[in-house]
Amino acid sequence: MKWTNEFDFLKGPRARWKELIFSIEVLFQYIKGFRNLHFIGPCITIFGSARFDSEHSYYQTTEKLARELSKLGFAIMTGGGPGIMEAANKGASQVGGVSLGCNIELPFEQHANPYLDKFVTIRYFSVRKELLRKYSSGFVVMPGGLGTLDEFFEVITLIQTGKINHFPVVVMGLEYHEKLMAYFESLIKEETVSPGDFDYILFTDDIQMAINHIQTKSEKRVPSRQNPNQPLWILGERRIYKKR
């Protein structure tokens, strides 16, 4: 399977020709992402568990939040699968917003949800995460597992170290993330981080507060996402328009 390439890579040093081939594969994965996501416009990526069904309150909150963000002109991107991802794509689709999926190849197959306008599958986690950060104007972190936390912590590390700026992060689910918030407070208390490191992070259950935070903090980031260039068919590019 294709995913075994990354498994073998992470074992340690290999023959030079294998490392060269792997590097070329990674390059082509980046190019694939660039060509598919270049013209999506301002975008909010929503993360969360694939295990919540449509009856769950987290699913319904995500759906509503995605609807409201879409109305403001943001494309909505997810991992393209079920659960929270489906809820976000569904919410965008309901109001004619742009609904996107950026999936990852895994040993077990994840089926795309039916609410996607465009979908790209990336082979390597490192490439996928860079693409999501590159094309997003902000993140929403819904209740989820290790993958959600991985994305969250990488983003806030990049914010802290100044690698990205004007990048709002909203964490929804106060009860679910209660211990995480306490952990952040302990980091500040122990002076391993500065209070200002968390200025772009909002913990809330209030959808309007989440929207206001994203709008306010992403104002300086969004203009840089405007792209006057036209898609080139020879590169497989196409602009994605809202349906409404």
Side-chain angles (χ1 to χ4, degrees), residues 176-196:
Y176 187 90
H177 292 107
E178 182 178 2
K179 292 182 179 179
L180 181 60
M181 290 187 288
Y183 175 65
F184 282 179
E185 290 295 330
S186 72
L187 295 181
I188 296 173
K189 182 178 180 181
E190 296 293 335
E191 299 183 347
T192 54
V193 301
S194 301

Side-chain angles (χ1 to χ4, degrees), residues 116-187:
L116 297 166
D117 297 316
K118 192 175 185 64
F119 185 84
V120 60
T121 300
I122 300 299
R123 188 174 301 172
Y124 304 116
F125 268 114
S126 58
V127 176
R128 176 179 180 261
K129 288 189 285 188
E130 290 301 331
L131 290 171
L132 288 171
R133 288 190 286 265
K134 176 178 177 63
Y135 292 106
S136 293
S137 300
F139 279 173
V140 175
V141 180
M142 298 299 296
L146 296 178
T148 302
L149 290 175
D150 176 46
E151 297 283 3
F152 177 44
F153 274 86
E154 282 210 23
V155 166
I156 61 178
T157 300
L158 291 172
I159 293 173
Q160 181 196 43
T161 54
K163 298 296 184 180
I164 53 177
N165 55 17
H166 309 303
F167 198 96
V169 180
V170 174
V171 184
M172 301 287 288
L174 294 180
E175 183 178 356
Y176 187 90
H177 292 107
E178 182 178 2
K179 292 182 179 179
L180 181 60
M181 290 187 288
Y183 175 65
F184 282 179
E185 290 295 330
S186 72
L187 295 181

Side-chain angles (χ1 to χ4, degrees), residues 15-75:
R16 293 182 181 88
W17 68 270
K18 286 188 176 181
E19 304 292 35
L20 176 61
I21 291 173
F22 181 82
S23 299
I24 294 171
E25 289 176 346
V26 170
L27 172 62
F28 276 97
Q29 287 292 294
Y30 270 114
I31 292 172
K32 177 182 179 181
F34 296 157
R35 300 283 57 82
N36 278 278
L37 301 175
H38 189 68
F39 291 97
I40 63 176
C43 174
I44 300 298
T45 295
I46 300 179
F47 292 108
S49 175
R51 303 185 182 188
F52 297 124
D53 62 27
S54 60
E55 299 301 317
H56 200 286
S57 61
Y58 295 147
Y59 184 109
Q60 294 167 2
T61 297
T62 305
E63 189 178 332
K64 182 176 180 181
L65 176 60
R67 283 200 301 266
E68 297 306 313
L69 289 171
S70 292
K71 291 177 183 177
L72 295 175
F74 290 106

Side-chain angles (χ1 to χ4, degrees), residues 69-90:
L69 289 171
S70 292
K71 291 177 183 177
L72 295 175
F74 290 106
I76 300 297
M77 187 184 299
T78 74
I84 294 296
M85 296 174 282
E86 177 185 288
N89 292 131
K90 181 180 179 181

